[in-house]
Amino acid sequence: MSPLSERIQEYLPLLVTGLWQTVAVTLISLVLASALGLMWALMRSSGSRWMSLPARYIVEFLRGIPILVVLFYIYFVMPEVGLDLTAFQAGVMGLALTYSCYIGETFRGGIEAVDRGQIEAAKSIGMKHGKMMRRIVLPQAFRIALPPYGNNMVMLLKDSSQVSVISVAELTMQGKMLASSTFDNMTVFTMVAALYLCLTIPLNFLMRRVELKMGAAT
């Protein structure tokens, strides 16, 4: 067995441990960001200033702050006011808050792209707003928003590496620790890049298949 193969076999278990942590951070953050993003989108599309303006200000505020600053604030500042979170929890919260804004704008774009004639027709037959959104607007909006939503998923997966700055032992953090202890930077970070590709390439392929299937169904 060559020295390179031996090093790969030695490094792989530790990096795979970080890979699973990356998957966990990404999935939990995505669920929370999608729920919050849908709420921002519905508030901004409600037609009520009392709902749309707060959502707009929150979205613009969070989009204007770098994600690293959001992570630092949650992890280092919030304990001073009584909210003491683990590094994993702080990382998930920071990613979810930041990406809820981008996902919210994606959903809002989908909602606003729905044919206004269908909305007016629903109103004309007395359909209530909530029922109209569930049965007419949101199903079409989700279909329209799917391609950019898929891009948001991939970007969130890659940006999960940012949580390494608050000591979450995900893939990038494990790679940095391994490289610092072995000084084998080329092998370690090539493996890190390859493991990220093992996640992003299938995810891109899956989203493309879903888009084609939904497009064929319309």
Side-chain angles (χ1 to χ4, degrees):
M1 185 179 295
S2 67
L4 177 59
S5 299
E6 292 178 354
R7 293 200 303 273
I8 291 175
Q9 287 191 2
E10 179 185 352
Y11 302 158
L12 191 58
L14 184 61
L15 294 179
V16 169
T17 300
L19 181 69
W20 288 119
Q21 190 85 328
T22 291
V23 171
V25 168
T26 301
L27 288 178
I28 299 172
S29 300
L30 179 64
V31 171
L32 295 176
S34 298
L36 279 174
L38 180 59
M39 183 176 71
W40 305 143
L42 292 174
M43 290 174 68
R44 295 196 66 182
S45 304
S46 66
S48 168
R49 288 174 57 87
W50 296 104
M51 297 184 69
S52 63
L53 284 180
R56 176 184 176 184
Y57 292 146
I58 290 170
V59 167
E60 294 301 326
F61 177 77
L62 289 173
R63 288 174 67 182
I65 303 175
I67 190 169
L68 287 178
V69 177
V70 174
L71 292 170
F72 286 148
Y73 199 91
I74 293 173
Y75 189 59
F76 294 113
V77 178
M78 296 308 290
E80 298 181 11
V81 295
L83 184 60
D84 194 3
L85 301 175
T86 66
F88 183 89
Q89 292 169 337
V92 166
M93 181 179 290
L95 288 172
L97 285 173
T98 300
Y99 268 85
S100 72
C101 301
Y102 300 108
I103 291 175
E105 290 300 283
T106 296
F107 287 158
R108 185 171 71 91
I111 291 171
E112 294 181 351
V114 175
D115 183 14
R116 302 298 301 179
Q118 298 183 45
I119 297 174
E120 295 301 326
K123 291 179 178 179
S124 69
I125 62 173
M127 187 176 290
K128 293 183 178 180
H129 181 77
K131 187 175 182 180
M132 177 187 68
M133 293 296 291
R134 289 195 308 272
R135 293 194 174 184
I136 297 175
V137 177
L138 290 181
Q140 298 182 69
F142 288 143
R143 188 177 295 113
I144 294 168
L146 185 60
Y149 181 75
N151 291 335
N152 287 328
M153 290 174 60
V154 175
M155 291 301 297
L156 175 56
L157 171 60
K158 293 189 291 185
D159 275 347
S160 66
S161 63
Q162 303 276 16
V163 301
S164 65
V165 299
I166 56 172
S167 303
V168 178
E170 47 70 67
L171 178 56
T172 301
M173 183 66 174
Q174 295 283 21
K176 288 192 292 186
M177 291 190 300
L178 190 58
S180 65
S181 63
T182 63
F183 302 102
D184 190 4
N185 295 309
M186 178 176 291
T187 303
V188 170
F189 287 113
T190 300
M191 292 176 67
V192 169
L195 288 171
Y196 273 113
L197 288 173
C198 288
L199 295 176
T200 57
I201 291 176
L203 181 58
N204 280 319
F205 177 77
L206 176 63
M207 293 306 300
R208 180 59 179 164
R209 294 287 297 177
V210 172
E211 290 171 27
L212 291 174
K213 186 174 181 180
M214 294 187 70
T218 57

